Amino acid sequence: ARLLESVGVARLDARILDIVAAVEAEGCTCVFVAVENVLIAAIGLRDQLKSDAERTVAALHRLGIKTYMMTGDSFTTAEIIADEAGVYEIFAEVAPAEKSARVRELQEQGEVVAMIGDGVNDCPAISQADLGVAIGSGTEVALE
């Protein structure tokens, strides 16, 4: 919503913000569509966890490995997905350019950081990490 306002789309009214809140409460990210600075649609998208995500995160925890989720999604959406996966630490509403800074902050706290990313916007953070893993569409860019 802040991005829409920053590019000149009219301020979202309370009715639209209520719809956004309801969509996010279901674990969805709200994507807006505007034409000529007029909001014409809002679409809820939801990441689907892999079937073994919760089991994998639990195994990492048993090994003493801390897990974090870093996402551009809202705190509400991030909390729902993180809860389903068993991740306890969340960095939400993180802009792509800020992800590598968050990795650096963890490193400055003495953490050894592995970053797994699935998109081009994750590549700087993957490069900053002690161990970087690119999956999906970010793989080709990370190799460069």
Side-chain angles (χ1 to χ4, degrees), residues 2 24 27-30 45-47 68-83 87 89-100 102-103 115-118 121-122 125:
R2 288 187 308 261
E24 289 180 346
C28 296
T29 296
C30 204
L45 303 174
R46 189 177 201 286
D47 288 327
Y68 299 83
M69 184 172 89
M70 183 165 32
T71 179
D73 291 338
S74 73
F75 285 101
T76 302
T77 299
E79 286 176 329
I80 291 168
I81 300 299
D83 185 58
V87 175
E89 300 288 334
I90 303 166
F91 296 123
E93 298 182 9
V94 181
E98 297 171 352
K99 289 183 177 184
S100 60
R102 291 294 179 108
V103 169
M115 170 71 184
I116 302 169
D118 66 354
N121 65 350
D122 294 320

Short mmCIF file of all heavy atoms in Angstrom, two decimals, residues 2 24 27-30 45-47 68-83 87 89-100 102-103 115-118 121-122 125:
data_model
loop_
_atom_site.label_atom_id
_atom_site.label_comp_id
_atom_site.label_asym_id
_atom_site.label_seq_id
_atom_site.Cartn_x
_atom_site.Cartn_y
_atom_site.Cartn_z
N ARG A 2 1.97 1.22 0.79
CA ARG A 2 2.86 2.40 0.83
C ARG A 2 3.46 2.66 -0.55
O ARG A 2 3.61 3.81 -0.95
CB ARG A 2 3.97 2.18 1.85
CG ARG A 2 3.50 2.24 3.28
CD ARG A 2 4.68 2.19 4.24
NE ARG A 2 5.57 1.07 3.98
CZ ARG A 2 5.56 -0.08 4.66
NH1 ARG A 2 4.73 -0.26 5.64
NH2 ARG A 2 6.41 -1.04 4.36
N GLU A 24 -4.22 -10.86 4.25
CA GLU A 24 -2.97 -11.15 4.95
C GLU A 24 -3.18 -12.10 6.12
O GLU A 24 -2.32 -12.92 6.43
CB GLU A 24 -2.29 -9.86 5.41
CG GLU A 24 -1.73 -9.06 4.25
CD GLU A 24 -1.06 -7.76 4.67
OE1 GLU A 24 -1.24 -7.33 5.83
OE2 GLU A 24 -0.35 -7.19 3.83
N GLY A 27 -2.55 -15.55 5.39
CA GLY A 27 -1.19 -15.89 4.98
C GLY A 27 -0.86 -15.50 3.56
O GLY A 27 0.13 -15.96 2.99
N CYS A 28 -1.67 -14.64 2.98
CA CYS A 28 -1.46 -14.21 1.60
C CYS A 28 -0.76 -12.86 1.55
O CYS A 28 -0.83 -12.07 2.49
CB CYS A 28 -2.80 -14.08 0.88
SG CYS A 28 -3.71 -15.61 0.69
N THR A 29 -0.09 -12.62 0.44
CA THR A 29 0.47 -11.31 0.14
C THR A 29 -0.49 -10.64 -0.82
O THR A 29 -0.96 -11.26 -1.78
CB THR A 29 1.85 -11.46 -0.52
OG1 THR A 29 2.73 -12.07 0.41
CG2 THR A 29 2.41 -10.12 -0.96
N CYS A 30 -0.79 -9.39 -0.57
CA CYS A 30 -1.71 -8.66 -1.43
C CYS A 30 -0.92 -7.95 -2.53
O CYS A 30 0.02 -7.21 -2.25
CB CYS A 30 -2.50 -7.66 -0.60
SG CYS A 30 -4.06 -7.23 -1.36
N LEU A 45 -1.99 -13.57 -3.05
CA LEU A 45 -1.13 -14.68 -3.45
C LEU A 45 -0.54 -15.31 -2.20
O LEU A 45 -0.19 -14.62 -1.26
CB LEU A 45 0.02 -14.18 -4.34
CG LEU A 45 -0.37 -13.44 -5.61
CD1 LEU A 45 0.87 -12.90 -6.30
CD2 LEU A 45 -1.15 -14.35 -6.55
N ARG A 46 -0.40 -16.65 -2.22
CA ARG A 46 0.13 -17.34 -1.04
C ARG A 46 1.19 -18.34 -1.45
O ARG A 46 0.98 -19.14 -2.35
CB ARG A 46 -0.99 -18.07 -0.32
CG ARG A 46 -0.57 -18.62 1.04
CD ARG A 46 -1.76 -19.26 1.73
NE ARG A 46 -1.62 -19.38 3.15
CZ ARG A 46 -0.82 -20.27 3.76
NH1 ARG A 46 -0.09 -21.09 3.06
NH2 ARG A 46 -0.77 -20.32 5.07
N ASP A 47 2.34 -18.25 -0.76
CA ASP A 47 3.38 -19.25 -0.98
C ASP A 47 2.91 -20.58 -0.41
O ASP A 47 2.27 -20.64 0.63
CB ASP A 47 4.68 -18.84 -0.27
CG ASP A 47 5.37 -17.68 -0.95
OD1 ASP A 47 5.26 -17.58 -2.19
OD2 ASP A 47 6.00 -16.88 -0.26
N TYR A 68 15.95 -18.38 10.44
CA TYR A 68 15.32 -17.08 10.27
C TYR A 68 14.58 -17.09 8.94
O TYR A 68 15.02 -17.76 8.00
CB TYR A 68 16.34 -15.94 10.21
CG TYR A 68 17.19 -15.79 11.44
CD1 TYR A 68 18.33 -16.57 11.63
CD2 TYR A 68 16.87 -14.83 12.40
CE1 TYR A 68 19.12 -16.41 12.76
CE2 TYR A 68 17.67 -14.67 13.53
CZ TYR A 68 18.78 -15.46 13.70
OH TYR A 68 19.56 -15.30 14.81
N MET A 69 13.51 -16.35 8.86
CA MET A 69 12.85 -16.13 7.58
C MET A 69 12.95 -14.64 7.28
O MET A 69 12.63 -13.81 8.13
CB MET A 69 11.38 -16.55 7.62
CG MET A 69 10.71 -16.41 6.26
SD MET A 69 9.05 -17.11 6.25
CE MET A 69 8.12 -15.68 6.76
N MET A 70 13.45 -14.32 6.08
CA MET A 70 13.58 -12.93 5.67
C MET A 70 12.74 -12.76 4.40
O MET A 70 12.94 -13.48 3.42
CB MET A 70 15.04 -12.57 5.40
CG MET A 70 15.23 -11.13 5.04
SD MET A 70 16.94 -10.51 5.13
CE MET A 70 17.97 -11.88 4.70
N THR A 71 11.80 -11.82 4.45
CA THR A 71 10.85 -11.67 3.35
C THR A 71 10.42 -10.23 3.19
O THR A 71 10.47 -9.45 4.14
CB THR A 71 9.61 -12.57 3.61
OG1 THR A 71 8.68 -12.41 2.54
CG2 THR A 71 8.93 -12.24 4.92
N GLY A 72 9.98 -9.91 2.03
CA GLY A 72 9.39 -8.61 1.77
C GLY A 72 7.92 -8.58 2.15
O GLY A 72 7.30 -7.52 2.15
N ASP A 73 7.35 -9.74 2.48
CA ASP A 73 5.95 -9.82 2.86
C ASP A 73 5.69 -9.07 4.17
O ASP A 73 6.60 -8.81 4.94
CB ASP A 73 5.52 -11.27 3.03
CG ASP A 73 5.49 -12.04 1.72
OD1 ASP A 73 5.38 -11.41 0.66
OD2 ASP A 73 5.58 -13.28 1.77
N SER A 74 4.43 -8.80 4.43
CA SER A 74 4.03 -8.13 5.67
C SER A 74 4.34 -9.01 6.87
O SER A 74 4.50 -10.23 6.75
CB SER A 74 2.54 -7.82 5.65
OG SER A 74 1.80 -9.03 5.82
N PHE A 75 4.38 -8.40 8.05
CA PHE A 75 4.61 -9.16 9.28
C PHE A 75 3.53 -10.21 9.48
O PHE A 75 3.81 -11.34 9.88
CB PHE A 75 4.69 -8.22 10.50
CG PHE A 75 5.97 -7.47 10.59
CD1 PHE A 75 6.05 -6.15 10.19
CD2 PHE A 75 7.12 -8.08 11.07
CE1 PHE A 75 7.25 -5.45 10.26
CE2 PHE A 75 8.32 -7.39 11.14
CZ PHE A 75 8.38 -6.07 10.74
N THR A 76 2.29 -9.85 9.20
CA THR A 76 1.18 -10.78 9.39
C THR A 76 1.36 -12.02 8.52
O THR A 76 1.28 -13.15 9.01
CB THR A 76 -0.17 -10.10 9.05
OG1 THR A 76 -0.33 -8.96 9.88
CG2 THR A 76 -1.33 -11.04 9.25
N THR A 77 1.62 -11.82 7.24
CA THR A 77 1.83 -12.94 6.33
C THR A 77 3.05 -13.75 6.74
O THR A 77 3.00 -14.98 6.78
CB THR A 77 1.99 -12.41 4.89
OG1 THR A 77 0.80 -11.73 4.51
CG2 THR A 77 2.26 -13.54 3.91
N ALA A 78 4.13 -13.07 7.06
CA ALA A 78 5.37 -13.76 7.44
C ALA A 78 5.17 -14.61 8.68
O ALA A 78 5.65 -15.75 8.76
CB ALA A 78 6.49 -12.74 7.67
N GLU A 79 4.45 -14.09 9.68
CA GLU A 79 4.22 -14.85 10.91
C GLU A 79 3.44 -16.13 10.64
O GLU A 79 3.75 -17.18 11.20
CB GLU A 79 3.46 -14.00 11.93
CG GLU A 79 4.32 -12.94 12.58
CD GLU A 79 3.54 -12.04 13.52
OE1 GLU A 79 2.34 -11.81 13.30
OE2 GLU A 79 4.16 -11.58 14.49
N ILE A 80 2.46 -16.07 9.77
CA ILE A 80 1.66 -17.26 9.46
C ILE A 80 2.51 -18.31 8.77
O ILE A 80 2.50 -19.49 9.15
CB ILE A 80 0.43 -16.87 8.61
CG1 ILE A 80 -0.53 -16.05 9.47
CG2 ILE A 80 -0.25 -18.10 8.03
CD1 ILE A 80 -1.63 -15.36 8.70
N ILE A 81 3.27 -17.92 7.76
CA ILE A 81 4.11 -18.87 7.02
C ILE A 81 5.22 -19.41 7.93
O ILE A 81 5.48 -20.62 7.95
CB ILE A 81 4.71 -18.21 5.76
CG1 ILE A 81 3.59 -17.73 4.81
CG2 ILE A 81 5.67 -19.15 5.05
CD1 ILE A 81 2.67 -18.80 4.30
N ALA A 82 5.85 -18.53 8.70
CA ALA A 82 6.92 -18.97 9.60
C ALA A 82 6.38 -19.96 10.64
O ALA A 82 7.03 -20.96 10.95
CB ALA A 82 7.56 -17.77 10.29
N ASP A 83 5.19 -19.69 11.17
CA ASP A 83 4.59 -20.59 12.14
C ASP A 83 4.35 -21.97 11.53
O ASP A 83 4.63 -22.99 12.16
CB ASP A 83 3.28 -19.99 12.67
CG ASP A 83 2.67 -20.83 13.76
OD1 ASP A 83 3.35 -21.05 14.78
OD2 ASP A 83 1.51 -21.26 13.60
N VAL A 87 9.59 -21.82 11.97
CA VAL A 87 10.65 -20.81 12.07
C VAL A 87 10.23 -19.78 13.12
O VAL A 87 9.11 -19.29 13.10
CB VAL A 87 10.88 -20.11 10.71
CG1 VAL A 87 11.89 -18.98 10.83
CG2 VAL A 87 11.34 -21.12 9.67
N GLU A 89 12.24 -16.90 14.15
CA GLU A 89 12.77 -15.55 13.96
C GLU A 89 12.38 -15.06 12.57
O GLU A 89 12.61 -15.75 11.58
CB GLU A 89 14.29 -15.54 14.10
CG GLU A 89 14.80 -16.00 15.45
CD GLU A 89 14.54 -15.01 16.56
OE1 GLU A 89 14.44 -13.79 16.27
OE2 GLU A 89 14.43 -15.44 17.71
N ILE A 90 11.82 -13.85 12.51
CA ILE A 90 11.31 -13.32 11.25
C ILE A 90 11.86 -11.92 11.00
O ILE A 90 11.86 -11.08 11.90
CB ILE A 90 9.77 -13.22 11.28
CG1 ILE A 90 9.14 -14.57 11.59
CG2 ILE A 90 9.24 -12.67 9.97
CD1 ILE A 90 7.67 -14.46 11.97
N PHE A 91 12.31 -11.70 9.78
CA PHE A 91 12.58 -10.35 9.29
C PHE A 91 11.56 -10.13 8.18
O PHE A 91 11.67 -10.73 7.11
CB PHE A 91 13.99 -10.22 8.71
CG PHE A 91 15.11 -10.43 9.69
CD1 PHE A 91 16.07 -11.40 9.47
CD2 PHE A 91 15.22 -9.65 10.82
CE1 PHE A 91 17.12 -11.59 10.36
CE2 PHE A 91 16.25 -9.82 11.73
CZ PHE A 91 17.20 -10.80 11.49
N ALA A 92 10.56 -9.29 8.41
CA ALA A 92 9.50 -9.07 7.43
C ALA A 92 9.57 -7.65 6.91
O ALA A 92 10.22 -6.78 7.48
CB ALA A 92 8.14 -9.34 8.07
N GLU A 93 8.89 -7.44 5.79
CA GLU A 93 8.85 -6.14 5.12
C GLU A 93 10.26 -5.63 4.81
O GLU A 93 10.55 -4.44 4.91
CB GLU A 93 8.04 -5.13 5.94
CG GLU A 93 6.59 -5.55 6.12
CD GLU A 93 5.74 -4.57 6.90
OE1 GLU A 93 6.20 -3.44 7.18
OE2 GLU A 93 4.60 -4.93 7.22
N VAL A 94 11.13 -6.56 4.43
CA VAL A 94 12.51 -6.22 4.10
C VAL A 94 12.60 -5.99 2.59
O VAL A 94 12.30 -6.88 1.80
CB VAL A 94 13.48 -7.35 4.52
CG1 VAL A 94 14.92 -6.97 4.18
CG2 VAL A 94 13.34 -7.67 6.00
N ALA A 95 13.02 -4.80 2.21
CA ALA A 95 13.20 -4.48 0.79
C ALA A 95 14.37 -5.28 0.24
O ALA A 95 15.32 -5.60 0.98
CB ALA A 95 13.45 -2.99 0.62
N PRO A 96 14.33 -5.63 -1.03
CA PRO A 96 15.42 -6.41 -1.62
C PRO A 96 16.80 -5.84 -1.33
O PRO A 96 17.74 -6.58 -1.00
CB PRO A 96 15.11 -6.39 -3.12
CG PRO A 96 13.62 -6.28 -3.17
CD PRO A 96 13.26 -5.38 -2.01
N ALA A 97 16.94 -4.52 -1.41
CA ALA A 97 18.24 -3.89 -1.18
C ALA A 97 18.71 -4.00 0.26
O ALA A 97 19.89 -3.87 0.55
CB ALA A 97 18.18 -2.42 -1.60
N GLU A 98 17.79 -4.26 1.19
CA GLU A 98 18.14 -4.34 2.61
C GLU A 98 18.54 -5.75 3.05
O GLU A 98 19.06 -5.94 4.15
CB GLU A 98 16.95 -3.89 3.47
CG GLU A 98 16.56 -2.45 3.25
CD GLU A 98 15.24 -2.10 3.94
OE1 GLU A 98 14.55 -3.00 4.47
OE2 GLU A 98 14.90 -0.92 3.94
N LYS A 99 18.27 -6.76 2.21
CA LYS A 99 18.51 -8.14 2.63
C LYS A 99 19.98 -8.41 2.94
O LYS A 99 20.29 -9.05 3.94
CB LYS A 99 17.98 -9.12 1.58
CG LYS A 99 16.46 -9.16 1.55
CD LYS A 99 15.95 -10.18 0.56
CE LYS A 99 14.43 -10.25 0.63
NZ LYS A 99 13.89 -11.29 -0.26
N SER A 100 20.88 -7.91 2.12
CA SER A 100 22.31 -8.17 2.39
C SER A 100 22.74 -7.46 3.67
O SER A 100 23.59 -7.98 4.41
CB SER A 100 23.19 -7.76 1.20
OG SER A 100 23.04 -6.40 0.91
N ARG A 102 20.88 -7.08 6.33
CA ARG A 102 20.41 -7.94 7.42
C ARG A 102 21.34 -9.12 7.63
O ARG A 102 21.64 -9.50 8.76
CB ARG A 102 18.98 -8.43 7.15
CG ARG A 102 17.94 -7.36 7.20
CD ARG A 102 17.81 -6.80 8.63
NE ARG A 102 16.84 -5.75 8.70
CZ ARG A 102 15.66 -5.87 9.28
NH1 ARG A 102 15.31 -6.99 9.86
NH2 ARG A 102 14.84 -4.84 9.29
N VAL A 103 21.81 -9.71 6.53
CA VAL A 103 22.78 -10.81 6.63
C VAL A 103 24.05 -10.31 7.31
O VAL A 103 24.58 -10.95 8.23
CB VAL A 103 23.09 -11.42 5.24
CG1 VAL A 103 24.29 -12.37 5.30
CG2 VAL A 103 21.87 -12.13 4.68
N MET A 115 22.41 -18.34 3.53
CA MET A 115 21.25 -17.66 2.95
C MET A 115 20.77 -18.48 1.77
O MET A 115 21.54 -18.79 0.87
CB MET A 115 21.65 -16.25 2.49
CG MET A 115 20.63 -15.52 1.65
SD MET A 115 19.21 -15.00 2.62
CE MET A 115 18.18 -14.31 1.32
N ILE A 116 19.50 -18.84 1.81
CA ILE A 116 18.87 -19.55 0.71
C ILE A 116 17.87 -18.59 0.10
O ILE A 116 17.01 -18.06 0.79
CB ILE A 116 18.17 -20.83 1.19
CG1 ILE A 116 19.17 -21.75 1.88
CG2 ILE A 116 17.48 -21.53 0.02
CD1 ILE A 116 18.54 -22.90 2.62
N GLY A 117 18.00 -18.35 -1.20
CA GLY A 117 17.09 -17.42 -1.86
C GLY A 117 16.56 -17.99 -3.15
O GLY A 117 17.21 -18.81 -3.80
N ASP A 118 15.36 -17.54 -3.51
CA ASP A 118 14.71 -18.08 -4.70
C ASP A 118 14.47 -17.05 -5.80
O ASP A 118 13.72 -17.32 -6.72
CB ASP A 118 13.40 -18.76 -4.32
CG ASP A 118 12.36 -17.78 -3.80
OD1 ASP A 118 12.68 -16.60 -3.61
OD2 ASP A 118 11.22 -18.21 -3.57
N ASN A 121 16.25 -10.91 -6.57
CA ASN A 121 16.44 -9.90 -5.52
C ASN A 121 17.16 -10.46 -4.29
O ASN A 121 17.57 -9.70 -3.43
CB ASN A 121 15.09 -9.28 -5.11
CG ASN A 121 14.15 -10.28 -4.48
OD1 ASN A 121 14.38 -11.48 -4.48
ND2 ASN A 121 13.06 -9.78 -3.95
N ASP A 122 17.33 -11.76 -4.20
CA ASP A 122 18.06 -12.37 -3.08
C ASP A 122 19.57 -12.47 -3.34
O ASP A 122 20.33 -12.75 -2.43
CB ASP A 122 17.53 -13.77 -2.79
CG ASP A 122 16.10 -13.75 -2.28
OD1 ASP A 122 15.77 -12.86 -1.49
OD2 ASP A 122 15.32 -14.64 -2.68
N ALA A 125 22.22 -10.74 -1.02
CA ALA A 125 22.27 -11.36 0.30
C ALA A 125 22.92 -12.73 0.24
O ALA A 125 23.68 -13.11 1.14
CB ALA A 125 20.86 -11.46 0.89
#
